[in-house]
Amino acid sequence: MTRLTTTADPADLRAPAATRRRRADGARDGFGAAFVLMLPAIALYALFSLTPILLTIWISFTNSGGFNTEANFVGFDNYLRATEDPIIWPSLGRTFLWLFYHVVLAGGLGLALALAIGRLSRTRVFFRTAFFLPHLVSLAVVGVIWANIYDPFYGLINTALTQWGLAGWAKGWLSDPLLVLFSVNVASSWQGFGLYMLLFIAGLQNIDGTLYEAAEIDGANALQKLWNVTLPGLSEVMTFVLSLAMINGLKGFATVFVMTNGGPFYASEIITTYIYRLAFQAQDHGLAAVLCILMSVLAITITVAFNRWRARKSS
Amino acid sequence: MSRRKPAEWPMVALLLPVFAIILGPFLWLVTSSLKTEAEIGRGDPFALPKQLMWQNYADAWNIGGFGSLIGNSLINVAGVVVLTLIVCAPAGYALAKIRFAGREWTFYAFIFGLTIPIQAIIIPLYQVLFNLGLINSMAGVVLAQVANGIPFGLFLMRSFFLGVPNELSEAARIDGANHFQILTRVFLPLSQPAISALLIISALSTWNDFFLPLVVLISPGNQTLPLGLVRFASTYSTDFRLVFSGTVITFLPVIILYILTQRRFTEGLTQGALKG
Amino acid sequence: MLRRTLMASAVALAAAGLLAVPTLAEAQTLTVWATDQLADPLVAEVWNKLKADFEAANPGVTVEYMPPTGTISNGAVQAAIQSDAGPDVLLTNSGIGRVTTVVNAKLIAPLTAHYADMGWKDKIFPWLYEILGSQFGGEIYEVPDGIDAIGLWYHKDLFAENGWTIGGSWADFEALLQKIKDKGLEPLAVGPRNNANGGHLMGNFLQAAAGTTVMGEVVTAKKSWSDAEPLLGAQRVVDFAKKGYVSAQMAGLDLEAATRLWTNKRAAIFFGGPWFINNARKNEYPIDNMGFATIPSDLAGESKPTGGIGWSWMIPVSSKQPELAAKWIDYILSDEVMRFRAEHKTGTQISPRAMPELKPAVPVMAEVFAAAANGVGFNPSVYMPGAALDTYFQVIQGLIGGQVSAEDGMAQIQAKIPAL
C-alpha cells in the first residue's frame, strides 16, 4: 500500500540534482505537450461549463425573462434587488447550516462506521458493501422514500413511535420550521455518507500497523490508540472528506427540492432551491443569476480558504 | 497487518441495529413495490402486501417503456464513461507530470467547476446546447455530463498520477518515449484502480442523473431511466406502486454492478482519491 | 429512339411522382403532448379512443402521444417546444402566469384567428371567451380543455351517521369542524407542500370571505391582497390552524399524503376539484360515498366552487402540423368528444361550454355540475403572475403552520404583484 502524500508533488521538493535536467527537459516541451493532452478537457469544459457561467454573469445585468425573451441591460439593478430581498439572506444562513449538518451527519457517520468496520475481518466486506448501498440511490428517489418515512400520520417513524408508546416523540418532521432542514439533511446524509465511509476505510488501511504495535508495547488502551494513532493517521483523509463534503453540501438541492421545495414558508429554503424557483417559477432570471454568482463566489472563497488552511496545517 | 484481533462478535452485535436502520428504507421500498395502490394508500408502513404484486414490475416496465429507456441509459453511461476517461486521463497526467507555467492556476480553474451546481447554470447551458443543435440528442447530454464531471475526474486522475514515482516516466523518457506514449504504456496500465474508481463514480452519477436529461431529452424514444419514473406522476396523482417498482428496476443494475466491482472500487478510492 | 423512350419514361415517372405527392403528403404524424395520466389504464382508454377516432376521421394521419416530462413551471414545456422534436399540439397546466411565460418567450402561436374561422368563440362559455380575450391585448393563445370546480369533499356515510351537515353560514361551518374534531378526526386535510393543493383550500376560503367580484378584482391587480375582504379569508385559515381544524403538520404534506388521510377516513373534509375522484378511486375508496359541497359563505350567493382555466391546449410555434393541430383542437371541442370524455368514468372536469343532459358515469359528478351551474369563483393559483404564485404557495404553508400572520402573509403576496 502506498503511503499518503501531501498535495505537492513530492518530486518537486526532493531530488535536487536530477531536477535541473528534467526542468530543462520540461521547459522544452512543457506547455505545448501539456496543452495538447489537456485540449479535450479544456474544450469541453470551456464550452459546457465556463460559457454558461459567463452567460450567467451577463444575465445578472439584464431583466431577462428566460428563453427567447427580450432582455435589456439594467446595470446593477438585480444586485440592488438582491440586497433587499427578504428571502436571500436567511436562505444563505440556512445554506451554511445545511453544509454544517451534512459535514457532521454524513462525515461523522462515515467516520464512525469506518472505525467500527475497520476492526472487523470476516464480516468487513459485508458491512462495507451494505452500508454503501444508500449511496447508489439517486437523490430524487431518496426524497420520495424519506418523505414517506417522515409522513406525520402514516410514516415509518411516527407510526413506530406511536406503537412503542412514545407518541409524544412523534413530530411533524417536515412541517416543524425548526426541524425541517435537519430532517431533510438526514435523508440527504443517508445517501451521502457511504462514499466518506469508504474513504475513511481506505485511510485506515494506509495506517502503518507497526504504529499500533508500538502503542501496545507502551501499554496504550483502545481509546488512547484511537486518539494517538488512528485519528492522526486519518488527518489526510479527513481534510479530503471535509472538502468533498463541503462541496457536496453546498450543492445540496435534489432532496430539498423533492421533499419540501423550500417550505414550509421558506423554512428549508437554501440558495439552490431559491435559484431554481426564481428562474423557473418566477421567471426572474436576473435575480437568479445574481444568486448563482453569489454562490460561486462563496464556493471559491470556501475552497481557497480551506486549501490555505490545509497547506498551513501540513507545512 | 498481522496484529492479533479481538473477537469480532461484540462489534457485529453493535453494528446490527445500525445495519437495520440504514437498510430499513430499502426493505420498506421493496415491500411497498409489491403492494397494490390501495394498500400503499392505506398508509400502514409495517403492513405486508396481502398478495405479492409482481404485476407492478411488469406494469412499470410496460407503461414506463423501460425497455427502450434502459437501452438509452446504457448508451448514456457508456458514452460518458469512455469519454470521461479519454478526457480526464491525459489532462490529469499533464497536470501531474508535465511542468509548465500556470499549471497550478489551470488546475484551480478546473476545480472551480466542482463547486457550481448544474441547476444554477441550466438555462445558459440549455442555450449553448441549443445553439449547437444538441437539444434532444444523447450526444448533447453526454457532452454536458462529461464536462460537468471533468473537475472531479481530473482531480482524481491527477492525484493518482502524482503518487506514481517520477523514476518510471524518467526511464521511459530516456528510451525516447513522448508524453502520450508514457501515458498509455506506463501510466494507464498502472492506474487500473483509479480508473475503475473514476468509471464507477461517473457511471453511477450518470445512471442516476435526472435534471440534465429532463431538460435536454425531449422525445420519449431518447429518454433515460430516471425520466421514466416521471411518467408515473401526474399533476394531481402519483402511481406509487409504479414509482416504487420502477425505482427498484432502476436500482438493480447499479447494485449488481457495485457488488461485482466493489473490491476494485474501494482499492481505486484508496489509491486514487486519497492522494489529493 | 432509345433516348426518347428514356425521356418518356422519365416524364412518366415524374408524372407518377407528381400524382403520388398528394397521397404521400397525407401520411402525416401529429405529435400530441397530452394528459400526464397515461399510466392510468382507465385514462389511457379514453385517449386511445380519441386517437383511434381522429385517425379514422382523417385517413393517413397518425396520432402519437408524447408523455409530458413536466409543465411550463419547470421548464419542460419550453424545452420541448424549442427542440426539434417538440409536440405539434399540447395540453398543459395553464393559468395566466404560465401562459405569459410561453407567450413572452414567443413559443406558442396565437389562435385568435381560429376562434373566428373555426368558430371556437361559440364553443366555450362567453365569460371564458371574455377572460381569454382580455389577457394579451386581444390575442388568444390557448383553448381551455375544461374548467375546474374546487369545493369540499366529504364522506356521505360519516356525515349521515353523525347527523353532520356542511351548513349555510361560516358559524355553522366552524361548529361542524369543532364537532368533527371532538370526534377525534382531522377536520380538514390539505397537502400544500409541493403542488397546488394549498391553493385549493386558500382559494375556497378567499371565495367564502370575499366573494367572486372582489376576488376577480384581486386577481387582476385592481384590488390589494391586503384589503379587508381577502385578508379575512387568510385570517380564517390562521384561526382554523390555531383551533386545530387544520393541523399544523399538514404544512409538510403533499397532495397524496393528504388524500390518504381522507380516503382512510382519518380526515373528514378535503378541498379539491373533481379530479379528486380519480385519487380516491386509486385508493379503492367507494366513489358512491363521496359527497361534494361548496364552502359556506356569509355573503349571499357566494357559496360557490372556485376554478378557472387550469388546463389548456396550445399550438407551439415549432409545430410541424399547425393546421392539423388546429383540427385536433377542433375535434376536442366537438360535442361528440366532449360528451364522451364527460360521461366516461374518468370524466372529472367541467366542459368549457354548457353541455345539456350529460349523464356522467360517476353520479357525484352531477353534484359537481349542479354546484358549478351558477358559475365558478376564482382559484387564484391559475390567475396569478408567476412571480407572485410562488410567494402565494409559501404564504399558504406559513398560514397553516403558524409561521406568518395573515397581515404579513398578504402583504408579502401583494409585494410580488407587478404594478399595472
Side-chain angles (χ1 to χ4, degrees):
Chain A
M1 238 27 34
T2 11
R3 296 271 308 147
L4 291 173
T5 53
T6 47
T7 19
D9 185 345
D12 293 348
L13 309 171
R14 291 179 238 121
T19 340
R20 202 157 299 154
R21 186 170 52 83
R22 209 160 57 85
R23 280 244 164 89
D25 189 56
R28 208 171 51 231
D29 65 353
F31 189 74
F35 184 75
V36 171
L37 289 173
M38 290 190 301
L39 190 61
I42 292 177
L44 278 181
Y45 184 69
L47 200 53
F48 297 109
S49 294
L50 293 181
T51 314
I53 293 169
L54 291 177
L55 281 171
T56 303
I57 297 178
W58 160 246
I59 294 171
S60 76
F61 290 105
T62 71
N63 60 357
S64 165
F67 296 132
N68 233 13
T69 53
E70 272 161 42
N72 298 314
F73 183 80
V74 294
F76 283 92
D77 206 29
N78 293 320
Y79 290 82
L80 278 176
R81 284 202 300 140
T83 59
E84 290 160 4
D85 190 287
I87 314 299
I88 292 176
W89 305 108
S91 48
L92 190 63
R94 277 187 293 267
T95 304
F96 282 114
L97 191 59
W98 172 269
L99 198 71
F100 173 75
Y101 284 152
H102 183 77
V103 169
V104 171
L105 292 175
L109 188 61
L111 177 61
L113 288 179
L115 289 175
I117 292 173
R119 295 165 178 277
L120 304 174
S121 55
R122 266 174 303 162
T123 49
R124 180 157 99 186
V125 174
F126 171 76
F127 280 117
R128 192 179 69 189
T129 312
F131 287 157
F132 189 71
L133 291 183
H135 194 66
L136 305 176
V137 188
S138 79
L139 283 168
V141 171
V142 169
V144 174
I145 295 177
W146 280 81
N148 277 284
I149 290 174
Y150 282 134
D151 187 300
F153 300 97
Y154 296 114
L156 222 46
I157 298 180
N158 281 3
T159 310
L161 287 172
T162 313
Q163 284 183 3
W164 298 335
L166 295 169
W169 291 55
K171 295 244 168 357
W173 304 102
L174 297 179
S175 59
D176 186 332
L178 296 176
L179 264 181
V180 58
L181 196 69
F182 179 79
S183 305
V184 178
N185 197 283
V186 167
S188 166
S189 296
W190 174 77
Q191 195 266 1
F193 84 91
L195 187 63
Y196 309 145
M197 179 192 74
L198 283 194
L199 289 166
F200 280 124
I201 290 177
L204 283 175
Q205 284 173 347
N206 285 340
I207 297 177
D208 192 345
T210 56
L211 291 175
Y212 286 102
E213 281 161 27
E216 266 164 41
I217 291 166
D218 291 347
N221 62 26
L223 204 66
Q224 284 167 325
K225 275 190 282 180
L226 175 72
W227 190 253
N228 294 323
V229 182
T230 313
L231 291 182
L234 284 178
S235 75
E236 196 71 38
V237 193
M238 249 180 242
T239 48
F240 180 68
V241 168
L242 198 59
S243 51
L244 204 60
M246 286 203 294
I247 286 165
N248 286 341
L250 203 62
K251 281 170 130 177
F253 169 80
T255 34
V256 180
F257 179 66
V258 174
M259 293 174 73
T260 64
N261 204 8
F265 193 60
Y266 307 109
S268 61
E269 192 86 274
I270 53 176
I271 289 285
T272 42
T273 53
Y274 194 47
I275 290 177
Y276 180 85
R277 294 215 319 279
L278 273 178
F280 282 97
Q281 274 169 25
Q283 302 293 324
D284 192 345
H285 293 269
L287 192 57
V290 172
L291 291 202
C292 290
I293 293 165
L294 176 72
M295 237 195 84
S296 311
V297 171
L298 208 70
I300 296 166
T301 315
I302 292 179
T303 316
V304 169
F306 184 75
N307 271 334
R308 289 253 170 96
W309 170 77
R310 197 175 152 185
R312 198 178 315 146
K313 213 187 77 174
S314 59
S315 68
Chain B
M1 296 254 268
S2 57
R3 281 180 305 129
R4 195 169 45 86
K5 296 236 170 187
E8 195 156 327
W9 66 266
M11 188 52 91
V12 171
L14 217 68
L15 279 174
L16 280 179
V18 182
F19 176 81
I21 291 173
I22 288 177
L23 294 195
F26 287 102
L27 189 65
W28 173 85
L29 176 71
V30 173
T31 318
S32 303
S33 76
L34 292 168
K35 290 181 176 180
T36 64
E37 194 64 34
E39 282 175 315
I40 296 170
R42 220 153 288 145
D44 182 351
F46 296 113
L48 293 174
K50 243 193 217 108
Q51 213 187 339
L52 297 182
M53 289 287 292
W54 295 107
Q55 186 61 35
N56 290 347
Y57 283 82
D59 287 349
W61 185 276
N62 294 326
I63 296 173
F66 274 30
S68 80
L69 295 179
I70 282 192
N72 291 336
S73 272
L74 288 174
I75 296 171
N76 186 199
V77 167
V80 168
V81 158
V82 170
L83 212 56
T84 300
L85 190 64
I86 292 177
V87 166
C88 293
Y93 170 85
L95 287 172
K97 292 291 169 194
I98 304 180
R99 201 169 275 288
F100 60 91
R103 181 165 83 163
E104 208 74 353
W105 283 109
T106 317
F107 178 63
Y108 276 124
F110 276 118
I111 287 304
F112 168 61
L114 203 56
T115 60
I116 308 289
I118 186 108
Q119 289 81 13
I121 55 164
I122 188 69
I123 287 164
L125 177 60
Y126 182 91
Q127 280 172 352
V128 170
L129 289 166
F130 181 72
N131 289 331
L132 294 171
L134 289 173
I135 292 300
N136 196 33
S137 85
M138 187 57 84
V141 172
V142 167
L143 289 175
Q145 282 168 335
V146 171
N148 198 39
I150 282 177
F152 184 76
L154 213 140
F155 179 78
L156 194 80
M157 292 314 290
R158 174 183 170 269
S159 306
F160 182 82
F161 290 147
L162 279 178
V164 177
N166 278 335
E167 288 75 15
L168 280 176
S169 47
E170 294 288 309
R173 278 204 79 93
I174 291 165
D175 291 345
N178 63 30
H179 283 298
F180 185 72
Q181 288 164 328
I182 298 177
L183 173 68
T184 50
R185 291 186 201 155
V186 182
F187 277 68
L188 285 186
L190 278 175
S191 27
Q192 260 205 11
I195 290 176
S196 52
L198 176 60
L199 294 193
I200 293 171
I201 287 178
S202 62
L204 197 61
S205 62
T206 308
W207 186 263
N208 283 334
D209 192 8
F210 173 74
F211 196 69
L212 196 65
L214 175 76
V215 179
V216 178
L217 298 176
I218 310 297
S219 319
N222 281 350
Q223 292 176 342
T224 53
L225 271 178
L227 297 189
L229 295 177
V230 178
R231 298 179 186 172
F232 306 140
S234 63
T235 313
Y236 290 139
S237 76
T238 303
D239 274 297
F240 280 116
R241 66 183 185 101
L242 301 180
V243 170
F244 294 149
S245 52
T247 301
V248 176
I249 295 177
T250 313
F251 187 53
L252 273 181
V254 192
I255 291 204
I256 293 169
L257 174 82
Y258 172 67
I259 290 178
L260 288 180
T261 56
Q262 59 93 11
R263 202 170 288 271
R264 275 197 173 188
F265 180 52
T266 321
E267 261 174 41
L269 281 182
T270 320
Q271 299 180 21
L274 288 190
K275 298 202 188 74
Chain C
M1 193 62 195
L2 181 65
R3 194 174 161 156
R4 221 180 211 182
T5 324
L6 270 178
M7 286 279 279
S9 23
V11 170
L13 276 176
L18 278 176
L19 282 177
V21 166
T23 349
L24 275 177
E26 272 177 26
Q28 307 170 80
T29 304
L30 182 72
T31 311
V32 183
W33 171 294
T35 175
D36 53 7
Q37 296 179 62
L38 279 179
D40 182 335
L42 278 175
V43 175
E45 192 183 292
V46 174
W47 289 88
N48 287 336
K49 181 174 154 46
L50 293 185
K51 166 182 153 75
D53 289 356
F54 187 74
E55 285 172 351
N58 298 279
V61 172
T62 313
V63 173
E64 255 176 32
Y65 291 128
M66 191 171 171
T69 45
T71 62
I72 293 170
S73 301
N74 62 16
V77 167
Q78 295 92 308
I81 296 178
Q82 285 220 327
S83 76
D84 245 1
D88 296 315
V89 58
L90 65 94
L91 171 65
T92 191
N93 269 139
S94 47
I96 177 82
R98 283 181 279 248
V99 179
T100 304
T101 302
V102 276
V103 167
N104 286 350
K106 300 170 204 74
L107 291 175
I108 56 172
L111 303 174
T112 328
H114 290 318
Y115 271 86
D117 63 33
M118 297 186 100
W120 295 349
K121 176 178 180 301
D122 304 316
K123 290 181 180 170
I124 61 173
F125 286 116
W127 61 269
L128 265 182
Y129 181 67
E130 196 182 313
I131 290 179
L132 288 173
S134 70
Q135 288 175 337
F136 297 98
E139 289 282 23
I140 305 179
Y141 291 87
E142 59 186 309
V143 177
D145 187 59
I147 310 159
D148 214 349
I150 298 150
L152 39 93
W153 294 95
Y154 62 92
H155 309 280
K156 281 184 176 164
D157 58 353
L158 206 63
F159 274 58
E161 280 161 28
N162 294 287
W164 294 338
T165 49
I166 300 290
S169 71
W170 196 257
D172 292 345
F173 190 46
E174 278 208 54
L176 165 69
L177 297 183
Q178 184 61 47
K179 279 186 226 159
I180 296 171
K181 192 177 165 234
D182 292 342
K183 188 96 184 166
L185 294 174
E186 297 285 339
L188 303 176
V190 62
R193 196 177 75 204
N194 46 13
N195 43 34
N197 192 227
H200 299 143
L201 175 135
M202 185 75 176
N204 263 246
F205 273 63
L206 291 168
Q207 167 66 27
T212 313
T213 317
V214 171
M215 281 316 293
E217 287 169 4
V218 171
V219 296
T220 48
K222 292 182 189 109
K223 200 169 164 60
S224 167
W225 284 83
S226 295
D227 282 356
E229 301 93 331
L231 186 61
L232 175 63
Q235 187 58 50
R236 282 173 172 175
V237 175
V238 173
D239 292 345
F240 274 27
K242 276 205 190 108
K243 291 177 182 160
Y245 301 157
V246 191
S247 148
Q249 297 187 336
M250 303 272 179
L253 297 186
D254 62 6
L255 188 136
E256 262 99 8
T259 300
R260 255 183 248 174
L261 277 175
W262 190 85
T263 56
N264 292 332
K265 292 193 181 169
R266 245 175 109 163
I269 291 171
F270 180 91
F271 287 91
W275 40 263
F276 187 59
I277 297 170
N278 280 339
N279 299 46
R281 180 187 290 119
K282 269 192 190 149
N283 286 358
E284 289 175 12
Y285 180 88
I287 305 295
D288 293 343
N289 196 40
M290 297 181 82
F292 182 83
T294 52
I295 189 165
S297 170
D298 293 339
L299 307 172
E302 294 294 356
S303 175
K304 283 190 204 171
T306 60
I309 309 165
W311 285 89
S312 297
W313 290 94
M314 301 168 205
I315 301 184
V317 286
S318 60
S319 174
K320 293 179 187 77
Q321 304 277 8
E323 278 168 28
L324 201 55
K327 222 171 173 179
W328 170 267
I329 295 178
D330 198 52
Y331 165 70
I332 293 290
L333 285 173
S334 68
D335 261 351
E336 174 204 349
V337 170
M338 241 179 233
R339 189 166 294 275
F340 167 66
R341 287 177 69 194
E343 293 184 346
H344 190 267
K345 256 198 254 180
T346 58
T348 53
Q349 58 181 0
I350 296 169
S351 307
R353 69 163 174 274
M355 292 289 294
E357 288 164 42
L358 273 184
K359 289 180 202 68
V362 184
V364 70
M365 277 305 289
E367 293 172 40
V368 177
F369 290 146
N374 305 326
V376 293
F378 293 91
N379 171 21
S381 312
V382 294
Y383 289 96
M384 288 175 100
L389 187 60
D390 187 50
T391 311
Y392 178 65
F393 286 147
Q394 291 286 340
V395 165
I396 296 170
Q397 297 175 357
L399 296 175
I400 294 171
Q403 291 161 267
V404 65
S405 71
E407 289 82 5
D408 288 350
M410 294 312 246
Q412 289 192 21
I413 297 170
Q414 185 59 35
K416 290 290 171 97
I417 302 285
L420 273 188

